[in-house]
Amino acid sequence: MRIVQLANAYSPTSGGLRTVVDALGRGYMAAGHERVLVIPGQRHSREEGESGLVVTLPSLPVSGGYRMIPRFSPVKDLLEELQPDSVEVSDKATLAAAGPWARERGVGAVLISHERLDAVAAARFPHAWAASHRALQPALHRRSRRLAMRFDAIVVASAFAGREFDGYGGLLREIPLGVDLDTFRPCRVPSPERSEVPRGTGEHPWQLVYSGRLSIEKNPIAAIAAVKALVADNLPVHLDIYGSGTQRQQLERFAADLPVTFHGHMSDRVELAERIAAADVVIAPGPAETFGLTVLESLACGTPVVTADTGGAGELLAAGAGLTAACTGEDMARAVAGILAWPEAERRAAARRRAEQFPWSATVASMLDVHVSLAARERNLSRLKRRGLRRRRIG
């Protein structure tokens, strides 16, 4: 089966979306299917490699350092050439036109919903949302349902994400994402300073981590505000921030004189995993996460997490593996302090145990079930149509 994946906002720094698309693509190929990836780039290119055929199409830069294919026509021409058995779309903008294209040609079409439109709007424009959400929220839900009707199946990663499509009568599948349990794993051997110097002291403060995009909808300022509150309570902590984004300068000003270090985007995932594993708590304050890959990766490292009490990330937590909190510095600080009071071995074991319930193999198997069933359905419909035409001609 040939599966074509279409994704906008796919870049070296696009974090979760790229991780998901790549992990699924590798899984499809490992299962014996052909995978083609179509993404935005500065120019047209084709490259065949271990991950299958990767096609970049000319695109426009948009906010956050991402790029978007502005028109569907070149994608349509490419799809006509590729003749896929199934199309997987990771975009709710220009590439969503692949749904109607596939339906007209008897090809299965799946939309993966990576973000919930109303939650993103509320996180990016909190003041405007507070003033107008009663009118905007129903309108955005109607838009989401109309979008969903263009596809044969919608895939969401959490119950929170699925509520965007309340009232949609088609095939809605909740398929949790996965984690690379080999890359993201607990520290094998504690460093000398970890084992010899008591933590929670001025010499060796508790190590906190924020990993993600530095943008308003991810709410990184709450992680820094939590540090400020913890320092005010005389709890020695240090926050390492891994990520880049439009808010970096503002956050650096806010963090002045606080024990916070900005490291920028870290492309080496092995090194990032090691640093997360060495931390005591990860703070993931994004209020609009439809899943929370950073949360799951942190749990896989044996590091408990404080996450927002809104969004879907809290669904990943289990007893002893972390806490949810309101998206304020004070509430996040209280949750961090609460986790640090738990026995370390127990909280690290609980975190890893929870992550082990989410291998990528399970996600890939569930996605392939969707693709294969849609492709089989379309083949059956095509045969029935041909039979109907023959009967009419005979008659």
Side-chain angles (χ1 to χ4, degrees), residues 24-37:
L24 291 176
R26 287 192 298 268
Y28 298 156
M29 294 191 66
H33 300 283
E34 182 182 357
R35 175 248 197 166
V36 181
L37 175 62

Side-chain angles (χ1 to χ4, degrees), residues 79-328:
L79 290 172
E80 298 281 3
E81 172 196 338
L82 293 172
Q83 293 295 298
D85 298 294
S86 190
V87 176
E88 177 183 291
V89 179
S90 291
D91 181 50
K92 292 181 177 178
T94 55
L95 301 182
W101 176 90
R103 184 164 293 166
E104 290 174 2
R105 288 153 182 81
V107 175
V110 183
L111 174 68
I112 300 180
S113 181
H114 292 271
E115 70 286 320
R116 185 169 144 176
L117 297 179
D118 60 336
V120 171
R124 287 185 179 176
F125 312 105
H127 300 299
W129 183 259
S132 57
H133 73 277
R134 291 183 180 178
L136 285 177
Q137 192 164 37
L140 288 174
H141 277 300
R142 288 193 296 271
R143 181 188 183 281
S144 296
R145 289 194 295 271
R146 287 195 300 268
L147 176 67
M149 294 302 295
R150 306 171 82 180
F151 289 85
D152 299 308
I154 308 297
V155 171
V156 297
S158 65
F160 169 79
R163 287 195 288 273
E164 180 179 19
F165 301 100
D166 283 348
Y168 167 61
L171 177 59
L172 180 67
R173 285 284 302 273
E174 183 179 329
I175 300 177
L177 303 180
V179 62
D180 182 344
L181 292 165
D182 294 324
T183 298
F184 293 90
R185 60 186 181 187
C187 289
R188 288 186 170 181
V189 180
S191 62
E193 60 269 21
R194 280 185 67 119
S195 58
E196 295 175 6
V197 180
R199 276 163 296 158
T201 66
E203 186 179 356
H204 190 184
W206 299 107
Q207 297 297 310
L208 313 179
V209 161
Y210 169 89
S211 177
R213 193 163 66 249
L214 304 183
S215 57
I216 190 169
E217 69 271 16
K218 296 294 185 180
N219 197 29
I221 197 167
I224 301 174
V227 170
K228 185 175 182 179
L230 290 165
V231 169
D233 286 341
N234 297 313
L235 191 66
V237 295
H238 182 274
L239 174 66
D240 289 297
I241 294 180
Y242 300 100
S244 59
T246 55
Q247 280 204 311
R248 176 160 179 169
Q249 290 185 350
Q250 175 187 344
L251 294 170
E252 287 178 335
R253 289 194 295 270
F254 183 68
D257 302 323
L258 289 174
V260 177
T261 302
F262 290 82
H263 299 272
H265 173 71
M266 182 168 287
S267 58
D268 187 333
R269 291 177 65 75
V270 173
E271 184 178 357
L272 177 61
E274 290 174 350
R275 297 195 184 191
I276 292 174
D280 295 293
V281 179
V282 167
I283 303 178
E289 299 293 334
T290 52
F291 185 72
L293 272 177
T294 296
V295 172
L296 188 54
E297 290 168 350
S298 302
L299 296 176
C301 291
T303 305
V305 182
V306 172
T307 190
D309 61 1
T310 58
E315 297 176 32
L316 289 170
L317 300 182
L323 292 171
T324 61
C327 298
T328 67

